[in-house]
Amino acid sequence: MTRIDPSRMAEATRLTRAGRLGEATALIQQMLSGKEAPSAPSDGWAGPTLDLRAEPEPEARPRSKRAPGPPPGSERVPEPSPAPADTGRRLPGAWTTHTYANPFGRRSYKLYLPERRAGVALPLVVMLHGCTQKPDDFARGTRLNGLGEQLGFIVAYPGQTRTANPTRCWNWFRPTDQERERGELSLIAGITRAVIAEHGVDPARVYVAGLSAGGAAAALMARAYPDLCAAVGVHSGVAPGAASDVASALAAMRAPEGRQDIGEGGPVVPTIVFHGTADKTVNPANADAVVRHALGSARGLERVTERGRCDGGYSYRVTRHRDGDARTLVEDWRIDGLGHAWSGGDRKGSFTDPQGPDASRIMLDFFLRQRLGRAG
């Protein structure tokens, strides 16, 4: 784990409180990377950023093609390219690019539509990438498009911009991006609603999942939109309430103090959690905080733990928290030896490790058992 110099951290906090965010950002990046931080982008954005990179970025790859059909209120991004082959073959569904905008900003998103029978209302999975990633990269690494084709899911991938965050992190640590119908959560929810309206998605089967900063944003979506999310998946993420600025975000990533705002009496949104025990970017103790937050005020749950090992790969422990009707409300996977990477992912994408259990398939199986108002 990166060693943080307390005196430099104190200086970064002082600069942030003084409103000198560009200087604070440069100092924090320098601490995390061990080298000089890049200058602010030419678009003038000078807000706080967190670089959660734990591995080198993948080599640049060709861009994928898109097909027509943006949701209402969205703008079509002009250049088309062929659908991605996330399993080594061309998928038969449509891979399209769109843009959504509201008073809080504008974000592009990619959409995978599987081949399907007319009139069938399919589930929707919204996938939130991690820092430095883009939707195409995240789709390759998780192979969600191929699974969406196989199991009958629509998959949407909102994309963060360098204007909003120089390392493309979702800003889970900013108060303005943690509230319902404000900031980035309103953009993610707006994209979700646009896809539901345009493609006849079953509104009782809408799910949100993410990695790292995207996992933290997915957990925030569960708290802010329990009426929209039937279930969420948090991979290597951070619990809501863990941070309110850059300094507290860095502290939470190193070791959460258990003071996350879990709320009182709110609905329990079924949640599946993945975290590697060797994660040096986001301390695995954050997974405990995510589980506590997901359980909220639920009491009297049965806790069942199993252990296993992947063929030629990592061992793991899975704990299921079940209610009196044997319905799993929270499923918690800990993978021994996994770092800051999507478990069981494809090396064609960044931040993946194929030696772990297949998080993508396991998440989708968990999601298929959940509907709004009913955990399976």
Side-chain angles (χ1 to χ4, degrees):
M1 182 176 292
T2 303
R3 183 180 181 278
I4 301 297
D5 184 336
S7 63
R8 295 166 78 194
M9 190 66 250
E11 175 63 8
T13 302
R14 185 188 69 78
L15 290 170
T16 300
R17 289 172 177 168
R20 296 161 63 183
L21 301 179
E23 295 171 69
T25 295
L27 181 57
I28 290 165
Q29 287 181 321
Q30 185 179 2
M31 286 189 288
L32 288 174
S33 64
K35 59 184 179 181
E36 291 297 325
S39 58
S42 59
D43 55 30
W45 192 92
T49 180
L50 289 176
D51 187 346
L52 303 189
R53 284 174 287 190
E55 302 174 7
E57 287 191 78
E59 295 181 2
R61 302 181 192 281
R63 298 192 177 186
S64 305
K65 271 193 184 185
R66 312 164 211 137
S74 303
E75 296 177 6
R76 175 72 194 281
V77 175
E79 302 166 34
S81 62
D86 67 359
T87 56
R89 60 181 176 81
R90 178 72 60 83
L91 296 173
W95 182 235
T96 59
T97 303
H98 313 275
T99 300
Y100 173 84
N102 70 15
F104 294 98
R106 176 188 302 265
R107 296 292 185 277
S108 294
Y109 62 98
K110 301 297 287 278
L111 190 65
Y112 185 77
L113 298 171
E115 284 193 327
R116 58 171 178 163
R117 297 186 300 274
V120 176
L122 297 183
L124 168 66
V125 180
V126 179
M127 293 290 287
L128 304 175
H129 62 72
C131 296
T132 76
Q133 293 183 312
K134 296 181 181 180
D136 289 270
D137 174 28
F138 199 36
R140 279 192 296 267
T142 60
R143 296 191 297 265
L144 249 290
N145 292 353
L147 288 169
E149 186 67 45
Q150 177 185 345
L151 300 177
F153 280 83
I154 296 172
V155 192
Y157 300 84
Q160 180 64 299
T161 65
R162 289 197 183 277
T163 302
N165 187 296
T167 50
R168 299 187 189 277
C169 301
W170 296 100
N171 291 303
W172 56 272
F173 51 91
R174 295 198 313 199
T176 53
D177 294 307
Q178 296 174 349
E179 298 177 18
R180 182 182 175 95
E181 306 303 353
R182 293 192 64 199
E184 290 179 356
L185 294 191
S186 76
L187 291 164
I188 296 168
I191 289 169
T192 303
R193 290 165 177 153
V195 176
I196 291 171
E198 173 67 12
H199 297 285
V201 168
D202 181 349
R205 294 189 293 165
V206 174
Y207 314 99
V208 182
L211 171 67
S212 192
L220 286 167
M221 284 292 293
R223 180 177 72 170
Y225 295 94
D227 55 334
L228 183 63
C229 304
V232 298
V234 181
H235 200 313
S236 309
V238 177
S244 57
D245 55 24
V246 174
S248 57
L250 287 168
M253 288 160 57
R254 291 198 305 272
E257 298 181 4
R259 294 192 302 229
Q260 286 78 10
D261 172 23
I262 64 173
E264 289 297 333
V268 175
V269 176
T271 301
I272 183 167
V273 177
F274 280 82
H275 215 117
T277 63
D279 191 334
K280 298 297 190 295
T281 301
V282 178
N283 190 305
N286 282 281
D288 297 325
V290 173
V291 169
R292 286 197 304 272
H293 182 275
L295 290 172
S297 57
R299 297 292 182 268
L301 300 181
E302 178 189 21
R303 180 173 167 170
V304 179
T305 299
E306 301 173 9
R307 295 182 180 273
R309 176 179 289 277
C310 300
D311 290 341
Y314 300 131
S315 60
Y316 58 86
R317 181 183 80 246
V318 55
T319 302
R320 297 178 175 89
H321 299 262
R322 296 171 173 166
D323 66 10
D325 296 322
R327 297 177 299 185
T328 299
L329 300 183
V330 175
E331 190 165 301
D332 177 15
W333 290 74
R334 306 297 173 92
I335 300 92
D336 298 324
L338 178 70
H340 196 65
W342 188 271
S343 180
D346 193 318
R347 287 289 190 192
K348 293 176 183 176
S350 62
F351 305 108
T352 60
D353 190 334
Q355 296 182 85
D358 187 347
S360 297
R361 180 58 192 251
I362 294 166
M363 278 191 185
L364 292 184
D365 287 344
F366 178 82
F367 291 162
L368 280 170
R369 300 195 298 272
Q370 320 298 337
R371 296 178 66 90
L372 271 182
R374 179 179 64 81

